[in-house]
Amino acid sequence: MASILRQIVAGPRSPHPETGLDLCYVTDNIIATSGPSSTYPKRAYRNPTDVLVKFLDEKHGTNWSIWEFRAEGTGYPDSEVYGRIRHYPWPDHHPPPFALIPNIMASMRDWLKGPDVPKERVVVVHCKAGKGRSGSVACSYLISEEGWSKDEALSRFTLRRMRSGFGEGVSIPSQLRWIGYVDRWTKHRKIYVERQVEVLEVHVWGLREGVKVGVNGYVDEGRTIKSFHTFKTKERLLIDSTSPTDSFPAGLPVSNEEKMLPDLEQAPNSDQKSQATRTDSSLNPSASPTTSQTSNSESGGSAVIFRPSSRIILPSNDIDIDFERRNKAAYGWAMVTSVAHVWFNTFFEGRGPENHGDAITSGVFEIEWDAMDGIRGSPRKGIRALDRLAVVWRALVDNDSLGRGSSQVIVEPHVGDPVPETHAADWKGLHPGIGSALGKNLGLRAASPASANISKASSLASIRSAKMEDDPALGVRSHGPNGEEHIPRVTDDVGRSTVTTSEPVLRNATNSTVGIPAAQRLQQVAQDGLTVGDSSHTSGITSSLQKLNTADLSDERSRTGITSNVKNLNTADLSDERSRTEGARA
């Protein structure tokens, strides 16, 4: 039974020829594996820890050691792997805090290439699926310590880890961006300077209604993603609401890695006009058209500048900007139709490696909607929420009265020097390190009263509803040290795992309505969120309820008929907006 469960979870991955374990040899001395588990029920469908340890003992004796990256917990105590493990955890579907990279690379190098070490040593890297986080570290090691090019490292990991036709081994855009950072770091003396960074403004082209914009960063040595700010309505400056392609006036700054903001000494909450008309016109959308909208994108949108009312200061160069679009639904629920986010590092965006560690202290990071990270590491983001993003940032390099602005030079430890290690997450998963950009999905959620001050949501005329496959290990395969192929464990029709999301059952509107006057009931309905904006289907529901005047009805039969009519208005089990509209009209 346990073997069958592992086959179902593994999907298109093929087992190791000797043990059936989900692992592969990226090179002769780098093994990538999905996260093992020592407790039920997980060990019934994941790599059992004792079986993995037995395989490593038989193949490599004492010449193996584990590097794990799971902020959600390893799933086993260190004692079950003889304490032969290094911990550098960070949350799933995200790039690592770059300050971890020098220590991870040095510790792996010392294990494999230190003085008087056996040539037969191997490192075993694992996260949850042995794909995104593990692939990022494996590729980074090949680039920084083995002299591989970025393309060579990525191609090798894909070749050894993925089955043909299932995409790239490392596929999340922000993780790929980080591997590019590692390549630049390696080519320029491996110097990294950690700095505190202030987010001054967030510029958005083609912003649709109901989009929440947040600024996140790493804390707790990278184990946790913290939300540092969520923009409120009063912090939003609307430039143009007619077109997403020619919204901003000429005069906004731009950067990627080449162009930097010339002067950002002005306070973030100073005069709006002076900040909205800066001299560099390279971000003018009329000069640089945005990516054409896809078929499911909504036409229109606004050009918006988000300027925080209080300073947003992050403790490191790593910055995450995340977006979530909500549309109000009935009975206090909200429909999430878009989820996206993007990570970038201001030391590299400020050309720190190329300037021998002296990175430019201010700039603008720019990215298109299509290039952002999607839901749980997938390319899916839902309905388009915006067209383009530009983040205006400034590094704090001088200490102020509060001690902010200090920087730290981080270099890769030399061979023989002690290498710091971060604290492990609780192996039972009691401290998952989940941040605001992790674990989001499309669908219904309970609406929060505080969200009214965050964004103005509006109902869409139609919402596409689709089941999505959320398996982060989709397409992953296993093989032996020589890269030999094996027969797939199961076919796609049988083994491909899917995540079926069930909509929550809405509160029955009739439980407390019998005998209540119509005016009072309509007031309750409005408070519950049925009358939303200009939504045609909710207006239809309200109109239907207005006709159900119970004030003059005196017998139980009439009230029973009204209750039956109101029950017909329950839209919780309807699968798409068209069905909800027809139900409301009925």
Side-chain angles (χ1 to χ4, degrees):
M1 177 61 71
S3 177
I4 295 175
L5 287 174
R6 292 191 198 106
Q7 292 179 16
I8 294 174
V9 172
R13 292 174 289 175
S14 57
H16 187 273
E18 298 179 29
T19 63
L21 292 171
D22 174 28
L23 63 82
C24 78
Y25 283 76
V26 181
T27 64
D28 290 342
N29 54 13
I30 299 178
I31 299 174
T33 178
S34 58
S37 181
S38 296
T39 59
Y40 285 100
K42 290 184 178 179
R43 67 170 286 125
Y45 55 85
R46 299 197 183 279
N47 285 342
T49 307
D50 54 346
V51 178
L52 175 63
V53 169
K54 180 180 178 181
F55 166 78
L56 294 173
D57 286 343
E58 292 176 352
K59 295 291 292 185
H60 303 285
T62 60
N63 294 318
W64 61 269
S65 184
I66 292 176
W67 272 253
E68 70 85 14
F69 316 113
R70 300 192 66 181
E72 64 273 23
T74 60
Y76 56 90
D78 291 0
S79 59
E80 293 196 5
V81 294
Y82 316 123
R84 208 179 297 154
I85 184 171
R86 301 336 192 254
H87 299 282
Y88 296 97
W90 76 87
D92 199 5
H93 311 306
H94 298 272
F98 199 88
L100 296 182
I101 291 294
N103 293 331
I104 297 175
M105 298 299 102
S107 60
M108 293 174 65
R109 177 208 63 204
D110 288 353
W111 174 258
L112 294 175
K113 297 182 176 182
D116 303 323
V117 301
K119 294 182 179 179
E120 297 81 12
R121 279 189 171 182
V122 297
V123 297
V124 182
V125 295
H126 85 74
C127 47
K128 181 179 180 180
K131 183 176 177 290
R133 287 174 288 183
S134 298
S136 296
V137 171
C139 291
S140 295
Y141 182 83
L142 294 176
I143 293 169
S144 65
E145 309 302 327
E146 299 292 345
W148 293 36
S149 71
K150 180 181 69 172
D151 291 339
E152 288 172 342
L154 289 168
S155 296
R156 167 56 74 91
F157 186 77
T158 297
L159 177 66
R160 291 297 179 92
R161 192 61 175 137
M162 303 300 295
R163 295 192 59 81
S164 178
F166 282 91
E168 303 298 321
V170 181
S171 57
I172 298 175
S174 289
Q175 291 180 344
L176 291 170
R177 185 176 302 110
W178 250 244
I179 294 176
Y181 290 161
V182 170
D183 186 46
R184 293 168 56 195
W185 172 73
T186 303
K187 292 176 179 177
H188 297 90
R189 301 170 53 193
K190 296 183 178 179
I191 298 176
Y192 178 69
V193 181
E194 190 71 280
R195 311 172 296 179
Q196 290 180 307
V197 179
E198 181 177 3
V199 175
L200 299 177
E201 296 175 356
V202 175
H203 301 171
V204 185
W205 285 260
L207 183 69
R208 276 57 168 182
E209 292 187 16
V211 179
K212 182 177 70 173
V213 183
V215 179
N216 311 310
Y218 284 119
V219 295
D220 298 335
E221 299 180 303
R223 292 189 302 274
T224 305
I225 299 173
K226 176 183 176 181
S227 175
F228 283 87
H229 188 78
T230 301
F231 287 100
K232 306 296 191 297
T233 304
K234 64 180 181 180
E235 298 171 310
R236 180 178 60 185
L237 176 63
L238 182 64
I239 303 300
D240 191 333
S241 61
T242 58
S243 172
T245 58
D246 57 359
S247 304
F248 277 108
L252 286 179
V254 70
S255 81
N256 272 340
E257 296 167 0
E258 297 79 7
K259 299 180 181 180
M260 293 296 139
L261 191 65
D263 183 10
L264 282 177
E265 295 304 317
Q266 194 170 10
N269 57 354
S270 58
D271 181 67
Q272 295 179 348
K273 182 177 180 181
S274 62
Q275 292 197 36
T277 57
R278 296 193 176 102
T279 57
D280 192 340
S281 61
S282 55
L283 247 174
N284 184 6
S286 61
S288 177
T290 59
T291 304
S292 60
Q293 298 181 9
T294 56
S295 59
N296 69 336
S297 62
E298 178 189 357
S299 61
S302 302
V304 175
I305 295 177
F306 291 97
R307 186 171 296 126
S309 56
S310 59
R311 299 180 72 181
I312 307 174
I313 298 178
L314 284 79
S316 70
N317 291 301
D318 306 307
I319 299 177
D320 175 57
I321 308 295
D322 87 86
F323 300 89
E324 180 183 86
R325 185 179 185 184
R326 294 189 179 193
N327 297 280
K328 289 183 181 179
Y331 297 100
W333 293 92
M335 176 67 72
V336 178
T337 59
S338 301
V339 173
H341 71 104
V342 59
W343 282 94
F344 64 96
N345 183 287
T346 59
F347 177 76
F348 290 93
E349 298 302 323
R351 298 187 63 81
E354 292 77 8
N355 292 329
H356 309 291
D358 186 17
I360 297 173
T361 58
S362 60
V364 181
F365 173 81
E366 183 187 8
I367 192 170
E368 303 278 344
W369 166 261
D370 293 332
M372 293 183 183
D373 299 0
I375 301 166
R376 297 183 180 179
S378 76
R380 300 178 179 90
K381 296 186 282 288
I383 297 174
R384 179 182 290 265
L386 55 98
D387 292 332
R388 187 152 51 115
L389 165 72
V391 183
V392 184
W393 57 268
R394 173 175 59 192
L396 305 180
V397 294
D398 298 322
N399 284 324
D400 59 17
S401 59
L402 299 179
R404 294 175 297 195
S406 60
S407 59
Q408 178 185 7
V409 179
I410 300 175
V411 297
E412 184 181 42
H414 297 292
V415 175
D417 291 346
V419 180
E421 180 182 347
T422 58
H423 293 86
D426 188 281
W427 72 269
K428 296 180 181 179
L430 300 180
H431 181 73
I434 294 179
S436 61
L438 179 62
K440 288 185 177 181
N441 209 337
L442 304 180
L444 282 174
R445 290 192 201 164
S448 169
S451 64
N453 192 33
I454 294 175
S455 62
K456 273 189 162 182
S458 63
S459 298
L460 296 180
S462 64
I463 298 176
R464 292 177 175 87
S465 176
K467 303 297 182 182
M468 50 181 296
E469 296 177 357
D470 240 353
D471 187 0
L474 186 64
V476 174
R477 66 170 181 165
S478 306
H479 55 71
N482 297 322
E484 57 269 24
E485 296 287 343
H486 306 289
I487 299 174
R489 178 178 297 177
V490 291
T491 63
D492 291 345
D493 293 336
V494 177
R496 183 177 297 179
S497 58
T498 60
V499 175
T500 304
T501 57
S502 59
E503 295 183 350
V505 179
L506 298 181
R507 175 176 61 87
N508 191 336
T510 64
N511 287 347
S512 59
T513 61
V514 177
I516 298 179
Q520 182 179 348
R521 173 57 189 149
L522 289 175
Q523 183 178 4
Q524 292 179 356
V525 170
Q527 292 175 350
D528 284 344
L530 276 174
T531 55
V532 179
D534 296 328
S535 172
S536 59
H537 68 278
T538 54
S539 297
I541 294 175
T542 304
S543 299
S544 299
L545 288 174
Q546 287 176 338
K547 295 177 181 179
L548 301 176
N549 190 340
T550 63
D552 299 328
L553 299 177
S554 57
D555 54 63
E556 186 65 23
R557 180 180 301 175
S558 299
R559 286 194 295 270
T560 303
I562 294 171
T563 302
S564 176
N565 289 334
V566 176
K567 285 182 179 179
N568 291 333
L569 299 175
N570 190 341
T571 63
D573 296 327
L574 298 180
S575 59
D576 55 27
E577 186 70 13
R578 180 178 299 176
S579 298
R580 286 195 290 271
T581 304
E582 292 175 354
R585 292 175 178 175

mmCIF file of all heavy atoms in Angstrom, residues 208-212 236 324-327 455-458:
data_model
loop_
_atom_site.group_PDB
_atom_site.id
_atom_site.type_symbol
_atom_site.label_atom_id
_atom_site.label_comp_id
_atom_site.label_asym_id
_atom_site.label_seq_id
_atom_site.Cartn_x
_atom_site.Cartn_y
_atom_site.Cartn_z
ATOM 1 N N ARG A 208 -5.413 47.176 -12.372
ATOM 2 C CA ARG A 208 -6.858 46.940 -12.349
ATOM 3 C C ARG A 208 -7.409 47.192 -10.949
ATOM 4 O O ARG A 208 -6.657 47.372 -9.992
ATOM 5 C CB ARG A 208 -7.157 45.504 -12.767
ATOM 6 C CG ARG A 208 -7.220 45.277 -14.285
ATOM 7 C CD ARG A 208 -5.994 45.673 -15.026
ATOM 8 N NE ARG A 208 -5.999 45.181 -16.401
ATOM 9 C CZ ARG A 208 -5.024 45.348 -17.254
ATOM 10 N NH1 ARG A 208 -3.944 46.012 -16.895
ATOM 11 N NH2 ARG A 208 -5.112 44.868 -18.479
ATOM 12 N N GLU A 209 -8.727 47.169 -10.832
ATOM 13 C CA GLU A 209 -9.355 47.439 -9.546
ATOM 14 C C GLU A 209 -9.218 46.239 -8.608
ATOM 15 O O GLU A 209 -9.138 45.098 -9.035
ATOM 16 C CB GLU A 209 -10.841 47.768 -9.741
ATOM 17 C CG GLU A 209 -11.083 49.087 -10.458
ATOM 18 C CD GLU A 209 -12.548 49.449 -10.481
ATOM 19 O OE1 GLU A 209 -13.318 48.848 -9.695
ATOM 20 O OE2 GLU A 209 -12.937 50.312 -11.258
ATOM 21 N N GLY A 210 -9.224 46.550 -7.307
ATOM 22 C CA GLY A 210 -9.241 45.507 -6.304
ATOM 23 C C GLY A 210 -7.913 44.815 -6.073
ATOM 24 O O GLY A 210 -7.886 43.691 -5.579
ATOM 25 N N VAL A 211 -6.787 45.456 -6.415
ATOM 26 C CA VAL A 211 -5.471 44.831 -6.284
ATOM 27 C C VAL A 211 -4.794 45.319 -5.010
ATOM 28 O O VAL A 211 -4.626 46.523 -4.801
ATOM 29 C CB VAL A 211 -4.586 45.135 -7.502
ATOM 30 C CG1 VAL A 211 -3.213 44.495 -7.328
ATOM 31 C CG2 VAL A 211 -5.251 44.623 -8.775
ATOM 32 N N LYS A 212 -4.395 44.376 -4.183
ATOM 33 C CA LYS A 212 -3.645 44.679 -2.970
ATOM 34 C C LYS A 212 -2.158 44.580 -3.276
ATOM 35 O O LYS A 212 -1.693 43.612 -3.874
ATOM 36 C CB LYS A 212 -4.021 43.706 -1.854
ATOM 37 C CG LYS A 212 -3.322 43.978 -0.530
ATOM 38 C CD LYS A 212 -3.793 43.019 0.557
ATOM 39 C CE LYS A 212 -3.286 41.627 0.288
ATOM 40 N NZ LYS A 212 -3.590 40.704 1.410
ATOM 41 N N ARG A 236 -2.231 56.019 -2.379
ATOM 42 C CA ARG A 236 -2.276 55.784 -3.814
ATOM 43 C C ARG A 236 -2.520 57.089 -4.554
ATOM 44 O O ARG A 236 -3.481 57.800 -4.285
ATOM 45 C CB ARG A 236 -3.391 54.783 -4.132
ATOM 46 C CG ARG A 236 -3.538 54.453 -5.603
ATOM 47 C CD ARG A 236 -4.636 53.418 -5.806
ATOM 48 N NE ARG A 236 -5.935 53.903 -5.330
ATOM 49 C CZ ARG A 236 -7.030 53.167 -5.301
ATOM 50 N NH1 ARG A 236 -6.986 51.907 -5.687
ATOM 51 N NH2 ARG A 236 -8.164 53.675 -4.871
ATOM 52 N N GLU A 324 -2.244 40.833 -5.006
ATOM 53 C CA GLU A 324 -3.405 39.948 -4.903
ATOM 54 C C GLU A 324 -4.639 40.754 -5.299
ATOM 55 O O GLU A 324 -4.895 41.823 -4.748
ATOM 56 C CB GLU A 324 -3.564 39.411 -3.490
ATOM 57 C CG GLU A 324 -4.762 38.494 -3.334
ATOM 58 C CD GLU A 324 -4.944 38.036 -1.895
ATOM 59 O OE1 GLU A 324 -5.583 38.753 -1.116
ATOM 60 O OE2 GLU A 324 -4.414 36.968 -1.559
ATOM 61 N N ARG A 325 -5.357 40.239 -6.270
ATOM 62 C CA ARG A 325 -6.572 40.913 -6.723
ATOM 63 C C ARG A 325 -7.795 40.197 -6.184
ATOM 64 O O ARG A 325 -7.954 38.991 -6.349
ATOM 65 C CB ARG A 325 -6.635 40.954 -8.250
ATOM 66 C CG ARG A 325 -7.829 41.756 -8.771
ATOM 67 C CD ARG A 325 -7.856 41.796 -10.288
ATOM 68 N NE ARG A 325 -8.937 42.651 -10.758
ATOM 69 C CZ ARG A 325 -9.254 42.813 -12.035
ATOM 70 N NH1 ARG A 325 -8.581 42.187 -12.976
ATOM 71 N NH2 ARG A 325 -10.250 43.611 -12.387
ATOM 72 N N ARG A 326 -8.668 40.962 -5.527
ATOM 73 C CA ARG A 326 -9.895 40.404 -4.964
ATOM 74 C C ARG A 326 -11.107 41.111 -5.538
ATOM 75 O O ARG A 326 -11.080 42.318 -5.760
ATOM 76 C CB ARG A 326 -9.903 40.539 -3.443
ATOM 77 C CG ARG A 326 -8.841 39.718 -2.727
ATOM 78 C CD ARG A 326 -9.065 39.736 -1.236
ATOM 79 N NE ARG A 326 -8.080 38.936 -0.513
ATOM 80 C CZ ARG A 326 -8.189 38.592 0.759
ATOM 81 N NH1 ARG A 326 -9.258 38.975 1.455
ATOM 82 N NH2 ARG A 326 -7.269 37.879 1.349
ATOM 83 N N ASN A 327 -12.158 40.352 -5.727
ATOM 84 C CA ASN A 327 -13.442 40.893 -6.138
ATOM 85 C C ASN A 327 -14.488 40.450 -5.134
ATOM 86 O O ASN A 327 -14.565 39.268 -4.788
ATOM 87 C CB ASN A 327 -13.806 40.393 -7.542
ATOM 88 C CG ASN A 327 -12.816 40.869 -8.573
ATOM 89 O OD1 ASN A 327 -12.864 41.997 -9.032
ATOM 90 N ND2 ASN A 327 -11.870 39.996 -8.925
ATOM 91 N N SER A 455 -7.947 48.243 -0.757
ATOM 92 C CA SER A 455 -8.241 48.357 -2.182
ATOM 93 C C SER A 455 -9.743 48.412 -2.385
ATOM 94 O O SER A 455 -10.515 47.935 -1.568
ATOM 95 C CB SER A 455 -7.651 47.177 -2.950
ATOM 96 O OG SER A 455 -8.237 45.978 -2.506
ATOM 97 N N LYS A 456 -10.150 48.998 -3.491
ATOM 98 C CA LYS A 456 -11.564 49.055 -3.845
ATOM 99 C C LYS A 456 -11.874 47.918 -4.792
ATOM 100 O O LYS A 456 -11.586 47.979 -5.973
ATOM 101 C CB LYS A 456 -11.875 50.390 -4.520
ATOM 102 C CG LYS A 456 -12.217 51.501 -3.553
ATOM 103 C CD LYS A 456 -12.728 52.695 -4.315
ATOM 104 C CE LYS A 456 -13.490 53.642 -3.419
ATOM 105 N NZ LYS A 456 -14.028 54.779 -4.161
ATOM 106 N N ALA A 457 -12.450 46.858 -4.268
ATOM 107 C CA ALA A 457 -12.757 45.700 -5.098
ATOM 108 C C ALA A 457 -14.056 45.923 -5.838
ATOM 109 O O ALA A 457 -14.950 46.625 -5.379
ATOM 110 C CB ALA A 457 -12.860 44.447 -4.238
ATOM 111 N N SER A 458 -14.166 45.334 -7.002
ATOM 112 C CA SER A 458 -15.402 45.410 -7.775
ATOM 113 C C SER A 458 -15.652 44.056 -8.408
ATOM 114 O O SER A 458 -14.728 43.298 -8.672
ATOM 115 C CB SER A 458 -15.299 46.474 -8.868
ATOM 116 O OG SER A 458 -14.294 46.143 -9.790
#
